[in-house]
Amino acid sequence: MVIMKKLLRPIRMACLLASAMCTVACGPVASTGSTTPRPAAPAEVEQAPEGQTVGNGDVSCTVTLGSYPAPMPATPTAVTHGERHVSAQATASAETHAEACRRAAARARADAQGPFGTPPVLNVDGVELAALMSPAAPNPPDIEGEERRCELVVAFAQGEPSTGTGEGPSLEAAVAVGRAQACHALGEASCADSEGFTIHVVRRSSSVSLANGARTDETQVTVELTRVRQVRAAANGPSRLQACRAAMESACGQSVCEVRELDGVRL
């Protein structure tokens, strides 16, 4: 019996040694089940205030067109004499503020374009034209630490205006006829250069007729055409309105002038 134990002891030691060597060489047994890779952490995107991505370099501008009355569409049996009010608002972005305002104005005008013309510009990125042209309108409160900029083009009348009348199927067509008539009265062959002239519609009327199921729109206008000299100016201020008023004051001085362009938007 003692002899058998002595013989078995070397065999047991050999088995223990083999087991230890396998554990070191092979490591733990891998699982045979499939695994799902852990998704990578999403990249962080730095955000600017109001949720805009940092680094795009764009500025935005909002342009509002004021309402103007236009005749209601005719019914199949009679002409409707009611009026509808057309207006529009659009916002656009660009690398410069003036370009953003031009794009916003183009979109608003395209949305409001109709057979009776386009509504006039009422507001350019927070500046009400009525408040800009009225010295009695109060200035908005200053915003501490914020400097705003305004660019505008003003025109000075050169001589007395010339009058012309016209009519056509749309406001633009009627104004074109009246402009040509007033231009001829000034002794000019062409007054298409908007930089050298300003035109105002002083009277307008529209009519709609229906005959044999066909509708006819007609607009009649009286316009005044004046030679002008243009001056461009810009200024900074604690608010956009105050900046625009400062630019007007530097450009016009004590003379009577008219704002032709505000932050890139033709008025």
Side-chain angles (χ1 to χ4, degrees), residues 233-257:
N236 295 332
S239 71
R240 288 248 311 129
L241 178 57
Q242 288 167 275
C244 290
R245 283 178 170 171
M248 272 192 67
E249 184 178 350
S250 67
C252 302
Q254 300 301 317
S255 303
V256 177
C257 66

PDB file of all heavy atoms in Angstrom, residues 233-257:
ATOM      1  N   ALA A 233     -24.232 106.520 -46.288  1.00  0.00           N
ATOM      2  CA  ALA A 233     -23.708 106.804 -44.953  1.00  0.00           C
ATOM      3  C   ALA A 233     -23.907 105.592 -44.060  1.00  0.00           C
ATOM      4  O   ALA A 233     -24.779 104.743 -44.311  1.00  0.00           O
ATOM      5  CB  ALA A 233     -24.409 108.027 -44.347  1.00  0.00           C
ATOM      6  N   ALA A 234     -23.094 105.520 -42.995  1.00  0.00           N
ATOM      7  CA  ALA A 234     -23.200 104.433 -42.017  1.00  0.00           C
ATOM      8  C   ALA A 234     -22.823 104.981 -40.654  1.00  0.00           C
ATOM      9  O   ALA A 234     -22.039 105.932 -40.536  1.00  0.00           O
ATOM     10  CB  ALA A 234     -22.298 103.263 -42.392  1.00  0.00           C
ATOM     11  N   ALA A 235     -23.384 104.369 -39.603  1.00  0.00           N
ATOM     12  CA  ALA A 235     -23.087 104.804 -38.240  1.00  0.00           C
ATOM     13  C   ALA A 235     -23.370 103.668 -37.277  1.00  0.00           C
ATOM     14  O   ALA A 235     -24.138 102.741 -37.594  1.00  0.00           O
ATOM     15  CB  ALA A 235     -23.912 106.041 -37.866  1.00  0.00           C
ATOM     16  N   ASN A 236     -22.761 103.754 -36.099  1.00  0.00           N
ATOM     17  CA  ASN A 236     -23.008 102.808 -35.022  1.00  0.00           C
ATOM     18  C   ASN A 236     -23.792 103.495 -33.917  1.00  0.00           C
ATOM     19  O   ASN A 236     -23.740 104.719 -33.760  1.00  0.00           O
ATOM     20  CB  ASN A 236     -21.695 102.258 -34.456  1.00  0.00           C
ATOM     21  CG  ASN A 236     -20.936 101.437 -35.471  1.00  0.00           C
ATOM     22  OD1 ASN A 236     -21.527 100.841 -36.365  1.00  0.00           O
ATOM     23  ND2 ASN A 236     -19.624 101.416 -35.350  1.00  0.00           N
ATOM     24  N   GLY A 237     -24.496 102.695 -33.117  1.00  0.00           N
ATOM     25  CA  GLY A 237     -25.258 103.242 -32.015  1.00  0.00           C
ATOM     26  C   GLY A 237     -25.671 102.163 -31.044  1.00  0.00           C
ATOM     27  O   GLY A 237     -25.502 100.965 -31.325  1.00  0.00           O
ATOM     28  N   PRO A 238     -26.230 102.545 -29.900  1.00  0.00           N
ATOM     29  CA  PRO A 238     -26.644 101.550 -28.903  1.00  0.00           C
ATOM     30  C   PRO A 238     -27.871 100.747 -29.333  1.00  0.00           C
ATOM     31  O   PRO A 238     -28.211  99.751 -28.711  1.00  0.00           O
ATOM     32  CB  PRO A 238     -26.945 102.403 -27.661  1.00  0.00           C
ATOM     33  CG  PRO A 238     -27.258 103.757 -28.211  1.00  0.00           C
ATOM     34  CD  PRO A 238     -26.418 103.919 -29.433  1.00  0.00           C
ATOM     35  N   SER A 239     -28.539 101.181 -30.393  1.00  0.00           N
ATOM     36  CA  SER A 239     -29.661 100.419 -30.961  1.00  0.00           C
ATOM     37  C   SER A 239     -29.644 100.637 -32.464  1.00  0.00           C
ATOM     38  O   SER A 239     -29.022 101.583 -32.964  1.00  0.00           O
ATOM     39  CB  SER A 239     -30.999 100.877 -30.378  1.00  0.00           C
ATOM     40  OG  SER A 239     -31.333 102.167 -30.862  1.00  0.00           O
ATOM     41  N   ARG A 240     -30.332  99.763 -33.190  1.00  0.00           N
ATOM     42  CA  ARG A 240     -30.357  99.898 -34.649  1.00  0.00           C
ATOM     43  C   ARG A 240     -31.032 101.204 -35.055  1.00  0.00           C
ATOM     44  O   ARG A 240     -30.580 101.877 -35.981  1.00  0.00           O
ATOM     45  CB  ARG A 240     -31.092  98.710 -35.253  1.00  0.00           C
ATOM     46  CG  ARG A 240     -30.317  97.424 -35.180  1.00  0.00           C
ATOM     47  CD  ARG A 240     -29.857  96.884 -36.512  1.00  0.00           C
ATOM     48  NE  ARG A 240     -30.908  96.854 -37.483  1.00  0.00           N
ATOM     49  CZ  ARG A 240     -30.810  97.365 -38.712  1.00  0.00           C
ATOM     50  NH1 ARG A 240     -29.715  97.991 -39.078  1.00  0.00           N
ATOM     51  NH2 ARG A 240     -31.818  97.284 -39.562  1.00  0.00           N
ATOM     52  N   LEU A 241     -32.129 101.566 -34.400  1.00  0.00           N
ATOM     53  CA  LEU A 241     -32.830 102.794 -34.758  1.00  0.00           C
ATOM     54  C   LEU A 241     -31.946 104.014 -34.517  1.00  0.00           C
ATOM     55  O   LEU A 241     -31.872 104.916 -35.358  1.00  0.00           O
ATOM     56  CB  LEU A 241     -34.125 102.910 -33.957  1.00  0.00           C
ATOM     57  CG  LEU A 241     -34.947 104.183 -34.196  1.00  0.00           C
ATOM     58  CD1 LEU A 241     -35.303 104.328 -35.663  1.00  0.00           C
ATOM     59  CD2 LEU A 241     -36.208 104.183 -33.340  1.00  0.00           C
ATOM     60  N   GLN A 242     -31.245 104.067 -33.390  1.00  0.00           N
ATOM     61  CA  GLN A 242     -30.378 105.193 -33.097  1.00  0.00           C
ATOM     62  C   GLN A 242     -29.199 105.245 -34.062  1.00  0.00           C
ATOM     63  O   GLN A 242     -28.748 106.325 -34.446  1.00  0.00           O
ATOM     64  CB  GLN A 242     -29.909 105.126 -31.647  1.00  0.00           C
ATOM     65  CG  GLN A 242     -31.020 105.466 -30.651  1.00  0.00           C
ATOM     66  CD  GLN A 242     -30.654 105.110 -29.229  1.00  0.00           C
ATOM     67  OE1 GLN A 242     -30.834 103.985 -28.804  1.00  0.00           O
ATOM     68  NE2 GLN A 242     -30.137 106.067 -28.497  1.00  0.00           N
ATOM     69  N   ALA A 243     -28.699 104.074 -34.466  1.00  0.00           N
ATOM     70  CA  ALA A 243     -27.621 104.047 -35.460  1.00  0.00           C
ATOM     71  C   ALA A 243     -28.106 104.586 -36.800  1.00  0.00           C
ATOM     72  O   ALA A 243     -27.389 105.349 -37.471  1.00  0.00           O
ATOM     73  CB  ALA A 243     -27.095 102.624 -35.616  1.00  0.00           C
ATOM     74  N   CYS A 244     -29.320 104.229 -37.198  1.00  0.00           N
ATOM     75  CA  CYS A 244     -29.869 104.715 -38.471  1.00  0.00           C
ATOM     76  C   CYS A 244     -30.122 106.225 -38.417  1.00  0.00           C
ATOM     77  O   CYS A 244     -29.891 106.946 -39.394  1.00  0.00           O
ATOM     78  CB  CYS A 244     -31.161 103.981 -38.801  1.00  0.00           C
ATOM     79  SG  CYS A 244     -30.937 102.243 -39.253  1.00  0.00           S
ATOM     80  N   ARG A 245     -30.598 106.712 -37.278  1.00  0.00           N
ATOM     81  CA  ARG A 245     -30.824 108.150 -37.145  1.00  0.00           C
ATOM     82  C   ARG A 245     -29.510 108.913 -37.200  1.00  0.00           C
ATOM     83  O   ARG A 245     -29.429 110.001 -37.785  1.00  0.00           O
ATOM     84  CB  ARG A 245     -31.571 108.432 -35.844  1.00  0.00           C
ATOM     85  CG  ARG A 245     -33.065 108.099 -35.926  1.00  0.00           C
ATOM     86  CD  ARG A 245     -33.767 108.338 -34.622  1.00  0.00           C
ATOM     87  NE  ARG A 245     -35.219 108.243 -34.795  1.00  0.00           N
ATOM     88  CZ  ARG A 245     -36.079 108.245 -33.793  1.00  0.00           C
ATOM     89  NH1 ARG A 245     -35.641 108.332 -32.539  1.00  0.00           N
ATOM     90  NH2 ARG A 245     -37.373 108.161 -34.025  1.00  0.00           N
ATOM     91  N   ALA A 246     -28.461 108.355 -36.603  1.00  0.00           N
ATOM     92  CA  ALA A 246     -27.156 108.996 -36.649  1.00  0.00           C
ATOM     93  C   ALA A 246     -26.622 109.019 -38.081  1.00  0.00           C
ATOM     94  O   ALA A 246     -26.025 110.020 -38.522  1.00  0.00           O
ATOM     95  CB  ALA A 246     -26.182 108.263 -35.729  1.00  0.00           C
ATOM     96  N   ALA A 247     -26.825 107.939 -38.833  1.00  0.00           N
ATOM     97  CA  ALA A 247     -26.381 107.894 -40.224  1.00  0.00           C
ATOM     98  C   ALA A 247     -27.150 108.914 -41.067  1.00  0.00           C
ATOM     99  O   ALA A 247     -26.574 109.594 -41.927  1.00  0.00           O
ATOM    100  CB  ALA A 247     -26.563 106.493 -40.785  1.00  0.00           C
ATOM    101  N   MET A 248     -28.466 109.038 -40.821  1.00  0.00           N
ATOM    102  CA  MET A 248     -29.270 110.024 -41.551  1.00  0.00           C
ATOM    103  C   MET A 248     -28.802 111.439 -41.258  1.00  0.00           C
ATOM    104  O   MET A 248     -28.691 112.287 -42.151  1.00  0.00           O
ATOM    105  CB  MET A 248     -30.746 109.886 -41.170  1.00  0.00           C
ATOM    106  CG  MET A 248     -31.528 108.893 -41.984  1.00  0.00           C
ATOM    107  SD  MET A 248     -33.305 109.052 -41.682  1.00  0.00           S
ATOM    108  CE  MET A 248     -33.626 110.670 -42.389  1.00  0.00           C
ATOM    109  N   GLU A 249     -28.518 111.701 -39.997  1.00  0.00           N
ATOM    110  CA  GLU A 249     -28.085 113.051 -39.609  1.00  0.00           C
ATOM    111  C   GLU A 249     -26.756 113.410 -40.261  1.00  0.00           C
ATOM    112  O   GLU A 249     -26.569 114.531 -40.739  1.00  0.00           O
ATOM    113  CB  GLU A 249     -27.972 113.137 -38.086  1.00  0.00           C
ATOM    114  CG  GLU A 249     -27.614 114.525 -37.576  1.00  0.00           C
ATOM    115  CD  GLU A 249     -27.557 114.598 -36.062  1.00  0.00           C
ATOM    116  OE1 GLU A 249     -27.973 113.614 -35.415  1.00  0.00           O
ATOM    117  OE2 GLU A 249     -27.094 115.623 -35.535  1.00  0.00           O
ATOM    118  N   SER A 250     -25.836 112.445 -40.303  1.00  0.00           N
ATOM    119  CA  SER A 250     -24.538 112.729 -40.913  1.00  0.00           C
ATOM    120  C   SER A 250     -24.656 112.913 -42.420  1.00  0.00           C
ATOM    121  O   SER A 250     -23.889 113.674 -43.021  1.00  0.00           O
ATOM    122  CB  SER A 250     -23.553 111.607 -40.595  1.00  0.00           C
ATOM    123  OG  SER A 250     -23.948 110.393 -41.237  1.00  0.00           O
ATOM    124  N   ALA A 251     -25.600 112.239 -43.061  1.00  0.00           N
ATOM    125  CA  ALA A 251     -25.743 112.322 -44.513  1.00  0.00           C
ATOM    126  C   ALA A 251     -26.580 113.524 -44.945  1.00  0.00           C
ATOM    127  O   ALA A 251     -26.264 114.185 -45.936  1.00  0.00           O
ATOM    128  CB  ALA A 251     -26.370 111.046 -45.056  1.00  0.00           C
ATOM    129  N   CYS A 252     -27.649 113.808 -44.203  1.00  0.00           N
ATOM    130  CA  CYS A 252     -28.601 114.839 -44.631  1.00  0.00           C
ATOM    131  C   CYS A 252     -28.306 116.210 -44.048  1.00  0.00           C
ATOM    132  O   CYS A 252     -28.580 117.233 -44.682  1.00  0.00           O
ATOM    133  CB  CYS A 252     -30.024 114.429 -44.251  1.00  0.00           C
ATOM    134  SG  CYS A 252     -30.535 112.844 -44.940  1.00  0.00           S
ATOM    135  N   GLY A 253     -27.762 116.239 -42.824  1.00  0.00           N
ATOM    136  CA  GLY A 253     -27.553 117.529 -42.182  1.00  0.00           C
ATOM    137  C   GLY A 253     -28.874 118.243 -41.969  1.00  0.00           C
ATOM    138  O   GLY A 253     -29.835 117.670 -41.456  1.00  0.00           O
ATOM    139  N   GLN A 254     -28.946 119.494 -42.405  1.00  0.00           N
ATOM    140  CA  GLN A 254     -30.172 120.290 -42.271  1.00  0.00           C
ATOM    141  C   GLN A 254     -31.033 120.245 -43.530  1.00  0.00           C
ATOM    142  O   GLN A 254     -32.094 120.865 -43.580  1.00  0.00           O
ATOM    143  CB  GLN A 254     -29.804 121.755 -41.966  1.00  0.00           C
ATOM    144  CG  GLN A 254     -29.011 121.933 -40.683  1.00  0.00           C
ATOM    145  CD  GLN A 254     -29.764 121.425 -39.467  1.00  0.00           C
ATOM    146  OE1 GLN A 254     -30.968 121.653 -39.303  1.00  0.00           O
ATOM    147  NE2 GLN A 254     -29.046 120.702 -38.599  1.00  0.00           N
ATOM    148  N   SER A 255     -30.609 119.508 -44.540  1.00  0.00           N
ATOM    149  CA  SER A 255     -31.361 119.447 -45.800  1.00  0.00           C
ATOM    150  C   SER A 255     -32.436 118.367 -45.744  1.00  0.00           C
ATOM    151  O   SER A 255     -32.327 117.396 -44.986  1.00  0.00           O
ATOM    152  CB  SER A 255     -30.417 119.168 -46.969  1.00  0.00           C
ATOM    153  OG  SER A 255     -29.398 120.142 -47.045  1.00  0.00           O
ATOM    154  N   VAL A 256     -33.447 118.545 -46.568  1.00  0.00           N
ATOM    155  CA  VAL A 256     -34.495 117.530 -46.686  1.00  0.00           C
ATOM    156  C   VAL A 256     -33.983 116.401 -47.578  1.00  0.00           C
ATOM    157  O   VAL A 256     -33.517 116.644 -48.696  1.00  0.00           O
ATOM    158  CB  VAL A 256     -35.785 118.138 -47.283  1.00  0.00           C
ATOM    159  CG1 VAL A 256     -36.836 117.056 -47.472  1.00  0.00           C
ATOM    160  CG2 VAL A 256     -36.311 119.257 -46.400  1.00  0.00           C
ATOM    161  N   CYS A 257     -34.047 115.188 -47.084  1.00  0.00           N
ATOM    162  CA  CYS A 257     -33.567 114.048 -47.861  1.00  0.00           C
ATOM    163  C   CYS A 257     -34.559 112.894 -47.729  1.00  0.00           C
ATOM    164  O   CYS A 257     -35.425 112.892 -46.860  1.00  0.00           O
ATOM    165  CB  CYS A 257     -32.175 113.613 -47.421  1.00  0.00           C
ATOM    166  SG  CYS A 257     -32.105 112.955 -45.743  1.00  0.00           S
TER     167      CYS A 257
END
